[in-house]
Amino acid sequence: MLSAMAVSNAKPIHRPYKLSDGRGLYLMVMPNGARYWRFYYTFLKKQKTLSVGVYPDVSLALARVRREELRRILASGEDPSSRRKADAAQARLLETGTFDQLADEYVARLKARGRAEKTVTKNIWILEYARPALGNQLVRDISTPEVLEILRKIEARGHHETAIRLRGTLSTIFRYAIATGRANKDPASELRGALLTPKVKHRPAITDPAKVGPLLRAIDGYDGDGAVRIALQLSAHLFVRPGELRLAQWEEFDPDSCIWLIPASRTKMRRLHKVPLSRQVLGLLEKLEGMTGGGQLLFPSPRSDKRAISDNTLNAALRRMGFKQDEMTAHGFRAMAATLLNECGKWHPDAIERQLGHIEGNDVRRAYVRGEHWGERVQMMQYWSDRLDQLRSTEAGVRRKFSQASAGEQAAPSRDGDDESISPDWRQE
């Protein structure tokens, strides 16, 4: 073993030489007088050497401490060299994990996953609330009080839903930082329940059968653009999300099989959605084809046939017809259909949910409920179109029992879906 005096008195010669301290540690003395600590070991029958430090910055005592640390790593079955490289890479990763960098990666991942442009834009917008305060900070150094301060400022402006949404987005980014080794905690998760929860406001919708008729007659009499009128009529019959209808393309429709296939890239749940087409819908599509059938989109913008009408077009048409913002919206046709179809008691709730494009929220139940209820949905969509025709022709306030005669006039079901048998009353299944 070496002594401190021997290390201090080691003189350079014309070539490098070693002074061993035992157990793999030695001092390399260079011709220029520099002295380096080295650790010599064998791993998987390969001889390797690691730098332990430079003398006198690293004393003999400290060099021995580092040697024992390396020997412990070696005894655990790990290569000390590999451990050191991994630790260095982790350190570099931590130093480059600023909030701005993680936020940019998060947005890039949304795009790579094929999320809707509107979803990506919303996330970019909401992250701007946090970037000024957190942008240049390392994510691992961001504290819960710092996040709370940002959210409290948003709450102070009365934007409670924005604050809640931002907390969720930040939590997702922090969890991603943990998964990639750039943080070890999620400060946003600790704020669950710390924010004010606003009262849920449902989108305005007409769900009273006595008011549905006047709505449908007003749409039929709409004196604006003919394609917009048909878009509103189709909204009532198909009750898809406004964005799904607005961006619909002719190639997605199969009139022979009476199906509209909405691609997964345009649905909220990112799943292919099948919509049965009733006789009335096929008639409306035939009329629309004479207006816009020469292009790709069903509802092209007046300024360019390469772009669809804006997302406010249908709502603006409803306002023009006299329906206030708190009375009816384009999205409200979904609530109208869901309410009346559930109230009539003819259809299984799962069939209605599938047609709405919803996914079962309970993870356990979703694992077992995989049927698409396709045959029942075909009949239900024809029933719904017939029901709308009845409400349109019935005087306001008068409710009639729906004739069973129309039940036999269904659109032809497609054979590319499941064809389960349909009970006359789903409650008896």
Side-chain angles (χ1 to χ4, degrees):
M1 295 176 62
L2 294 172
S3 66
M5 182 67 69
V7 173
S8 176
N9 293 335
K11 303 299 182 182
I13 60 176
H14 64 281
R15 57 178 176 78
Y17 69 93
K18 302 175 184 178
L19 295 176
S20 176
D21 188 56
R23 298 172 65 83
L25 180 66
Y26 64 87
L27 182 71
M28 175 67 75
V29 182
M30 307 302 291
N32 63 0
R35 286 164 283 186
Y36 303 101
W37 293 110
R38 297 284 189 266
F39 176 66
Y40 172 86
Y41 67 100
T42 301
F43 184 79
L44 297 179
K45 299 182 179 180
K46 292 183 178 180
Q47 296 179 348
K48 297 188 175 184
T49 303
L50 270 181
S51 171
V52 178
V54 180
Y55 182 85
D57 296 335
V58 176
S59 66
L60 173 60
L62 181 55
R64 287 171 175 170
V65 170
R66 293 183 177 179
R67 172 188 63 191
E68 296 309 312
E69 291 175 351
L70 294 172
R71 288 179 64 84
R72 279 194 292 272
I73 294 173
L74 191 61
S76 69
E78 187 177 357
D79 185 352
S81 177
S82 298
R83 166 76 73 85
R84 179 174 290 184
K85 291 177 181 177
D87 290 345
Q90 176 69 13
R92 288 193 299 270
L93 189 61
L94 287 173
E95 293 304 318
T96 58
T98 67
F99 179 81
D100 274 344
Q101 290 170 326
L102 268 296
D104 290 342
E105 287 183 32
Y106 171 70
V107 172
R109 287 170 63 83
L110 289 178
K111 294 178 180 178
R113 289 174 177 175
R115 301 301 295 270
E117 182 180 350
K118 190 173 183 179
T119 300
V120 175
T121 302
K122 281 183 178 179
N123 277 275
I124 293 174
W125 164 75
I126 202 166
L127 286 171
E128 289 302 320
Y129 283 97
R131 285 184 186 269
L134 305 179
N136 294 324
Q137 286 197 60
L138 295 175
V139 174
R140 63 187 173 93
D141 294 335
I142 296 174
S143 66
T144 298
E146 286 179 288
V147 176
L148 181 60
E149 182 180 357
I150 295 170
L151 299 177
R152 288 286 191 228
K153 289 180 180 179
I154 299 174
E155 278 191 332
R157 303 187 201 118
H159 302 160
H160 302 294
E161 291 183 1
T162 301
I164 291 174
R165 182 180 296 177
L166 177 59
R167 190 210 67 80
T169 302
L170 292 177
S171 185
T172 301
I173 291 176
F174 289 131
R175 291 199 304 271
Y176 173 65
I178 294 171
T180 56
R182 284 173 281 185
N184 53 22
K185 61 183 174 61
D186 173 10
S189 67
E190 300 173 11
L191 296 175
R192 292 179 184 272
L195 303 177
L196 296 175
T197 304
K199 186 176 180 181
V200 177
K201 294 182 179 180
H202 296 288
R203 287 186 174 92
I206 292 176
T207 57
D208 183 352
K211 296 181 180 180
V212 173
L215 169 65
L216 298 174
R217 290 193 291 272
I219 293 174
D220 290 345
Y222 178 66
D223 59 359
D225 184 81
V228 173
R229 179 175 63 253
I230 292 180
L232 290 169
Q233 293 170 327
L234 289 175
S235 296
H237 284 275
L238 300 174
F239 52 91
V240 293
R241 293 181 175 86
E244 294 169 347
L245 181 65
R246 182 172 62 87
L247 300 173
Q249 300 181 17
W250 286 107
E251 64 180 15
E252 299 166 0
F253 290 81
D254 184 352
D256 294 330
S257 299
C258 305
I259 291 180
W260 173 21
L261 293 177
I262 306 178
S265 60
R266 281 220 325 278
T267 64
K268 182 177 181 179
M269 302 302 175
R270 289 299 177 264
R271 294 177 58 190
L272 177 71
H273 185 48
K274 298 190 295 184
V275 183
L277 306 178
S278 65
R279 299 187 311 275
Q280 291 88 332
V281 169
L282 291 173
L284 290 170
L285 290 174
E286 187 176 357
K287 291 181 182 178
L288 183 63
E289 188 175 20
M291 303 177 187
T292 65
Q296 182 182 24
L297 298 167
L298 270 69
F299 304 104
S301 167
R303 290 181 291 276
S304 171
D305 60 0
K306 303 298 182 183
R307 295 169 47 197
I309 56 176
S310 73
D311 54 4
N312 193 47
T313 300
L314 300 187
N315 284 328
L318 289 170
R319 304 295 161 263
R320 180 174 174 178
M321 289 183 282
F323 296 96
K324 297 179 181 179
Q325 188 172 358
D326 60 354
E327 183 180 9
M328 186 63 185
T329 64
H331 201 279
F333 288 107
R334 291 170 59 77
M336 181 176 79
T339 300
L340 298 185
L341 285 172
N342 275 294
E343 286 182 352
C344 77
K346 293 178 177 291
W347 314 104
H348 197 294
D350 284 348
I352 299 173
E353 289 299 297
R354 295 296 181 276
Q355 197 51 56
L356 286 165
H358 291 162
I359 294 179
E360 171 61 46
N362 184 293
D363 291 340
V364 176
R365 188 169 187 272
R366 182 167 62 244
Y368 291 96
V369 181
R370 299 180 182 179
E372 293 296 320
H373 297 267
W374 178 249
E376 184 174 2
R377 285 162 54 191
V378 170
Q379 293 190 18
M380 181 178 70
M381 294 301 282
Q382 184 58 58
Y383 165 90
W384 178 242
S385 286
D386 293 340
R387 177 66 169 147
L388 291 179
D389 285 349
Q390 183 215 16
L391 291 172
R392 181 189 293 104
S393 61
T394 302
E395 290 298 323
V398 179
R399 301 186 183 186
R400 300 177 183 175
K401 185 177 180 181
F402 184 59
S403 173
Q404 297 297 323
S406 62
E409 301 177 2
Q410 306 298 335
S414 168
R415 296 303 175 187
D416 61 355
D418 53 331
D419 257 345
E420 65 261 44
S421 59
I422 304 170
S423 169
D425 190 335
W426 64 266
R427 290 165 294 191
Q428 298 176 4
E429 294 180 358

